[in-house]
Amino acid sequence: MNPPDKQSVTDEAEGLRAKLRHHSHLYYVLDAPELPDAEYDKLFQRLQAIEAEHPDLQTPDSPTLRVGGKVLDGFIKVRHKVPMLSIRTETDITAGGASAFDARVRRELGLAEDAPAIEYICELKFDGLAMNLRYEDGVLVQAATRGDGEVGEDVTQNIRTIQQIPLRLQGDAPPVVEVRGEVYMRRDQFEALNERQREKIAAGQKNEKVFVNPRNAAAGAVRQLDPAIAAARPLSFFAYGLGEVSSPEQGGPDCATQFDWLQQFAAWGFPVATQTQRALGAEALVAFHEAMGRARDGLPYDIDGVVYKVDSLALQRQLGFVSREPRWAVAHKYPAQEQLTEVLAIDIQVGRTGKLTPVAKLAPVFVGGVTVTNATLHNEDEARRKDVRVGDTVIVRRAGDVIPEVVGVVPESLAKPAERRGAIFTMPHKCPVCGSDAVREEGEADYRCTGGLFCGAQRKEAILHFAARRAVEVEGLGDKLVEQLVDANLIRTLPDLYKLGFTTLVGLDRMAEKSAKNIVDALEKSKKTTLNRFLFGLGIRHVGESTAKDLAKHFGKLDAIMDATEEQLLEVNDVGPVVAQSLRTFFDQAHNREVVEQLRACGLHWEEGEPAARTPRPLAGKTFVITGTLPTLGRDEAKDKLEAAGAKVSGSVSKKTTFVVAGAEAGSKLDKARELGVEVIDEARMLVLLAKPD
């Protein structure tokens, strides 16, 4: 069989490039894929093979260039043909800034008060990195950063790796056009990137770090000297502006408005933000500013304001520039979501469910429209990873109604000698509210107070849970009444519920005699319950209704449950190592046992029976580690199934690990398993083991 001639190979390569460009645009820009990933990969690999065999056939717009090229020695300086000017920022963070801009434009144009309203384009102000993309005859030939506006840096190799940026424009293209826009990173992609970074750090990989925010992560990726590293970072792009472009006489588009240009960008294959809209007059600008302010926290990417532009290009030319800023555009910012302040102390906050959270006490700072004095450090690992200490200057972030958090410590504080900084944060092993043990379960990031029935911080939640319909059920005992009783110090622990009398209740605000009698009757009725309802009502971590039923059925008696060893608890259906440890920890606290005995003394009772026949635990003694995203099961669901079969599910890989269950985008745990020779299986194999462990 004769080898294909050069022309047929050339035609095949061009056909593959056209197909790949088409399907890439559908997938990354329109979010409407038509081709399975496996089929796309086959086309891509075939093109790679052709270009490897015939290097002269690789074109500047080939999709294979997106995977990264050779490592650069440095970035070449690029002088912009048309300067990338900055836009004036409206300092009035209220909606009034929009009206001020409209009034300024009308004044500059010399319009009378009764003149028609001006039409504007309203856009989002993305918190990313501005980029100039130069196309010649439709092919991307250069990508440059803004730099100082006059001179930027050539980052073409890195920008080629961004799937949303076309390497060849769709449709008719002018001889020269420079499309400007923003390189950014989606919030979900940013979180996934940081999770991978944390796994690398945990695995001991040096020179790795967790990124402070999506903008810094995007900027860092663009300025990598190794394009392969940039290719591994999840970057996106929005087009919104224009640099140099061929005139209509030279073959360029004949656009009369900013809106026309945005439509042209979309036709060429660029993503344009769907929130962009036309607005007629000041009231419409105000409405857009307010609407985007409300929507801001729900967007999949960060914005720090909106941008208004006069839509008519003729009016833009008439308005011109002042101090190298266009008179026809303004950036209208929202309140800053990040600010610097000092850490005055680190306290421990105990939540309603017993979770211990380190909280940085801060010098007051205005962030996101409010004055912030406290910011969460999430947990011990995060506080230590960020190395936050008393006296440090830190970056504080607040987005909408989200609890403020410490993003990181400024480099100047980190550079101080250790003796000049506060002590490294360590989580206390006693609850600061009640003194009970604070424990951290294996695979968990949080410490929790074990004094659920005793701890003042958890009191209201414990009472409401105990009185709930699916627990012992005290009809009529709702949130507001419990809050009244606890705040008045009438209830300190669960047994105090059954010491409430009619006189005490009727003396409460807005409590009628009939309502008081109904509560007394409901409390008396609740004394007769079942063992599983009582057990569920105790609020033991990880013990839900189903597990409570299994425990009651297996042991028959409460005392047998309270005295059971972890090994005995593991014999119960649906009880794994985590649940067994949680039960043991709960009943090992003397004050929890005391509460149980007091409740019995108050008259709570149930029928007890004989223990059920023991059932086998097919995966008992085996340890599993789950990493990556499984095809059909969530990680928690997979963990529950394994623990129900008696397996132990660990958060880290060791020589004692029996199996590592690996899904998509598995991280350093997979590498560790291979290094130690631990058997790696997929979800399908795990389900087989659950059904037939032998």
Side-chain angles (χ1 to χ4, degrees), residues 295-612:
R296 181 186 185 189
D297 297 330
L299 294 174
Y301 38 76
D302 286 349
I303 63 170
D304 55 5
V306 294
V307 175
Y308 314 128
K309 297 175 182 175
V310 173
D311 192 29
S312 167
L313 300 184
L315 289 181
Q316 287 186 14
R317 288 190 289 271
Q318 184 179 338
L319 286 161
F321 298 82
V322 59
S323 301
R324 302 188 63 75
E325 292 178 346
R327 286 191 175 99
W328 44 266
V330 72
H332 191 181
K333 301 189 79 170
Y334 292 115
Q337 292 182 300
E338 290 186 354
Q339 291 287 3
L340 298 181
T341 189
E342 183 184 356
V343 178
L344 304 178
I346 298 177
D347 291 346
I348 303 299
Q349 186 179 76
V350 184
R352 294 191 307 165
T353 59
K355 176 184 172 182
L356 272 61
T357 302
V359 176
K361 301 294 181 180
L362 308 170
V365 61
F366 194 72
V367 188
V370 300
T371 300
V372 170
T373 56
N374 298 320
T376 181
L377 293 171
H378 297 293
N379 52 57
E380 183 180 50
D381 289 348
E382 281 291 284
R384 292 172 75 94
R385 180 183 63 76
K386 293 173 181 174
D387 196 15
V388 179
R389 309 190 196 185
V390 175
D392 284 347
T393 299
V394 294
I395 303 166
V396 180
R397 178 178 176 82
R398 179 182 181 272
D401 295 328
V402 178
I403 299 170
E405 67 170 338
V406 173
V407 176
V409 181
V410 300
E412 290 79 4
S413 288
L414 290 171
K416 291 179 184 177
E419 61 271 14
R420 290 183 54 197
R421 299 180 67 203
I424 297 172
F425 174 77
T426 302
M427 184 69 77
H429 293 280
K430 294 288 184 181
C431 172
V433 175
C434 70
S436 300
D437 291 340
V439 299
R440 178 179 178 176
E441 295 173 359
E442 186 176 351
E444 293 281 333
D446 300 317
Y447 279 82
R448 293 183 181 273
C449 167
T450 57
L453 303 181
F454 176 75
C455 181
Q458 303 173 67
R459 192 172 298 151
K460 293 176 185 177
E461 185 72 15
I463 293 168
L464 284 168
H465 178 79
F466 184 79
R469 183 172 61 88
R470 296 182 181 277
V472 299
E473 189 177 11
V474 181
E475 192 174 346
L477 192 68
D479 295 46
K480 291 183 178 179
L481 179 54
V482 168
E483 192 164 339
Q484 260 193 294
L485 292 167
V486 171
D487 290 347
N489 214 26
L490 294 173
I491 298 179
R492 294 181 62 83
T493 64
L494 288 177
D496 291 339
L497 266 177
Y498 294 94
K499 299 172 187 176
L500 292 172
F502 175 81
T503 303
T504 299
L505 289 168
V506 84
L508 295 173
D509 291 340
R510 298 182 296 278
M511 177 65 74
E513 289 187 5
K514 184 176 181 180
S515 298
K517 184 178 186 306
N518 287 342
I519 294 295
V520 171
D521 291 345
L523 284 166
E524 187 62 31
K525 182 181 178 182
S526 72
K527 290 180 180 179
K528 183 179 180 181
T529 185
T530 63
L531 175 55
N532 57 280
R533 278 175 170 266
F534 180 81
L535 195 60
F536 174 57
L538 294 179
I540 304 168
R541 184 160 162 75
H542 301 303
V543 177
E545 291 178 74
S546 177
T547 302
K549 287 178 181 177
D550 289 336
L551 287 164
K553 182 178 179 181
H554 183 91
F555 288 101
K557 296 179 173 61
L558 179 61
D559 288 337
I561 298 171
M562 292 197 297
D563 295 335
T565 64
E566 284 193 34
E567 290 73 19
Q568 291 171 326
L569 290 167
L570 285 170
E571 295 174 0
V572 181
N573 183 43
D574 278 343
V575 172
V578 172
V579 179
Q581 184 182 33
S582 183
L583 282 158
R584 197 61 273 137
T585 299
F586 182 88
F587 287 119
D588 282 344
Q589 299 291 315
H591 50 71
N592 286 338
R593 283 180 172 263
E594 177 63 24
V595 169
V596 169
E597 294 310 318
Q598 288 183 22
L599 286 169
R600 280 170 156 172
C602 288
L604 272 85
H605 61 283
W606 50 86
E607 289 186 10
E608 293 191 328
E610 294 302 315

Side-chain angles (χ1 to χ4, degrees), residues 624-687:
F624 287 71
V625 172
I626 304 170
T627 181
T629 304
L630 302 182
T632 66
L633 297 175
R635 190 172 295 196
D636 288 342
E637 188 180 359
K639 181 179 179 182
D640 289 344
K641 287 180 179 293
L642 289 168
E643 289 181 345
K648 176 182 178 182
V649 180
S650 176
S652 58
V653 181
S654 70
K655 291 182 179 179
K656 295 181 180 179
T657 305
T658 313
F659 297 106
V660 167
V661 184
E665 297 185 6
S668 59
K669 293 174 185 175
L670 178 58
D671 296 333
K672 185 72 171 178
R674 289 169 176 163
E675 180 186 326
L676 295 176
V678 175
E679 185 174 353
V680 178
I681 62 174
D682 58 12
E683 181 191 279
R685 173 64 177 152
M686 182 193 79
L687 293 174

